[in-house]
Amino acid sequence: MATPLFESSIKSLPLLGRGKVRDIYAVDTDKLLIVTSDRLSAFDVILPNPIPDKGRVLTAMANFWFAKLGHIVPNQLTGIDPESVVAADEREQVRGRALVVKRLKPLPIEAVVRGYVIGSGWKDYQDTGAICGIALPAGLKQAAKLPAPIFTPASKAEVGDHDENISFAQAQAHCDAVLAEALAGTGKTGAGLAEEARQAAIALYSQAADYAAGRGIIIADTKFEFGVDAAGTLHLIDEALTPDSSRFWPADSYQEGISPPSYDKQYVRDYLETLDWNKKAPGPNLPADVIERTAAKYREAYERLTGLTLA
């Protein structure tokens, strides 16, 4: 087990920003270094304790899916070794947890695909009989499988805020407004790219879910992010189909009517729900056993899905 990394400190490259989990550096005008830390956020608050190997698990799992699903849509990878773009004394910080990626213009939406009724989708369905305006059959139970996967975009929130579900028409309008300048002269429109993203996201989810089912794992839902290059070509960016961006359920314990156990930070959420904490920053410290069990769940998800052991 590698020493946990809460925050990277790469001095040889300019820091562009830090998200909930990832630190982003500029390699040059057309490439970025993305370092996946061991930070964990719950209820949109970054907690003070890193989860050992979490960043390495997320990076290895994303690389697995990028390779398996690369025929569906181009992705952000450059193939450049992250250790080659930092100083010698910084290589340990990026080993196994970083990617050198193309610098792309992100679409201003979260591309969420749902195969089951759970989470905010379940709440939306209970209130309206629909999710993001998509009407669904009456009488569905919590965690029920949908007749077919649905695309339910969300607005991107700042760190500490919540993403908000939006309709596809709103997603198209938002992409039009934000991407107009970047797409000038490409013959592409933001609305058209939102449609491309919808088709790509459903194809990515469907093929991944079929594969995972053969490994005894249900992918209930997942969130993708997309970006475009100077020609307006859509690319899969950020991460893909990890426990941070997806709900993974063990198939052998799945049943309708309850929220199934999941391969992610569920131990952390369950522990935090027992505390007298208002779910605002700063987050509370986690006990050692919660940290250890959470780390084990991340590793187990990777090993069960890929058949590989984290090096």
Side-chain angles (χ1 to χ4, degrees):
M1 189 181 294
T3 302
L5 179 75
F6 184 82
E7 186 175 279
S8 64
S9 56
I10 307 296
K11 305 299 184 188
S12 57
L13 298 174
L15 175 68
L16 298 182
R18 301 188 196 275
K20 292 175 185 174
V21 175
R22 287 167 182 77
D23 300 336
I24 303 173
Y25 298 86
V27 174
D28 54 30
T29 56
D30 60 357
K31 290 186 289 297
L32 302 171
L33 175 72
I34 300 180
V35 183
T36 305
S37 75
D38 295 322
R39 295 193 293 273
L40 184 143
S41 69
F43 306 111
D44 293 309
V45 174
I46 297 171
L47 301 179
N49 309 95
I51 304 298
D53 283 339
K54 177 175 178 279
R56 296 171 66 233
V57 166
L58 296 182
T59 302
M61 192 174 288
N63 280 336
F64 170 81
W65 289 117
F66 284 140
K68 181 167 283 294
L69 302 174
H71 61 284
I72 296 175
V73 63
N75 62 52
Q76 64 185 348
L77 300 184
T78 63
I80 296 171
D81 182 355
E83 293 187 43
S84 71
V85 302
V86 298
D89 62 355
E90 297 169 336
R91 290 174 186 159
E92 184 61 32
Q93 293 186 61
V94 302
R95 188 165 297 142
R97 66 166 69 250
L99 299 172
V100 178
V101 303
K102 303 168 190 174
R103 193 188 283 231
L104 301 163
K105 175 74 172 178
L107 269 63
I109 57 171
E110 304 280 7
V112 180
V113 182
R114 301 174 189 272
Y116 293 75
V117 186
I118 198 70
S120 64
W122 170 239
K123 294 175 184 175
D124 197 358
Y125 174 75
Q126 287 178 295
D127 291 340
T128 67
I131 300 178
C132 289
I134 300 171
L136 297 173
L140 293 177
K141 296 180 180 178
Q142 185 180 26
K145 185 175 183 179
L146 294 168
I150 59 173
F151 181 74
T152 59
S155 63
K156 285 187 179 178
E158 297 297 320
V159 173
D161 292 332
H162 297 278
D163 297 338
E164 289 189 8
N165 293 342
I166 56 177
S167 70
F168 182 62
Q170 288 174 309
Q172 287 187 302
H174 196 30
C175 286
D176 265 338
V178 173
L179 297 176
E181 184 176 344
L183 295 174
T186 66
K188 298 285 189 82
T189 66
L193 282 165
E195 176 58 34
E196 284 187 48
R198 174 164 69 173
Q199 294 181 19
I202 289 175
L204 290 164
Y205 170 82
S206 298
Q207 291 195 25
D210 286 348
Y211 168 83
R215 309 288 303 187
I217 290 178
I218 293 169
I219 304 180
D221 55 34
T222 195
K223 175 184 72 176
F224 299 108
E225 293 200 38
F226 294 97
V228 292
D229 62 14
T233 302
L234 191 74
H235 288 68
L236 179 61
I237 65 171
D238 195 55
E239 62 178 338
L241 296 151
T242 73
D244 270 16
S245 63
S246 317
R247 281 187 178 88
F248 294 145
W249 296 336
D252 56 9
S253 58
Y254 165 75
Q255 58 179 309
E256 285 190 9
I258 64 168
S259 180
S262 54
Y263 286 105
D264 58 7
K265 44 196 172 188
Q266 195 61 48
Y267 278 123
V268 173
R269 291 194 198 98
D270 290 347
Y271 168 74
L272 293 174
E273 290 284 14
T274 70
L275 303 180
D276 182 18
W277 175 50
N278 63 2
K279 297 179 183 175
K280 298 185 183 299
N285 282 298
L286 300 176
D289 65 311
V290 173
I291 292 171
E292 290 166 12
R293 285 188 289 176
T294 302
K297 276 295 177 187
Y298 274 88
R299 286 192 294 272
E300 184 183 350
Y302 172 73
E303 291 167 5
R304 283 193 64 171
L305 269 173
T306 67
L308 305 171
T309 301
L310 192 68

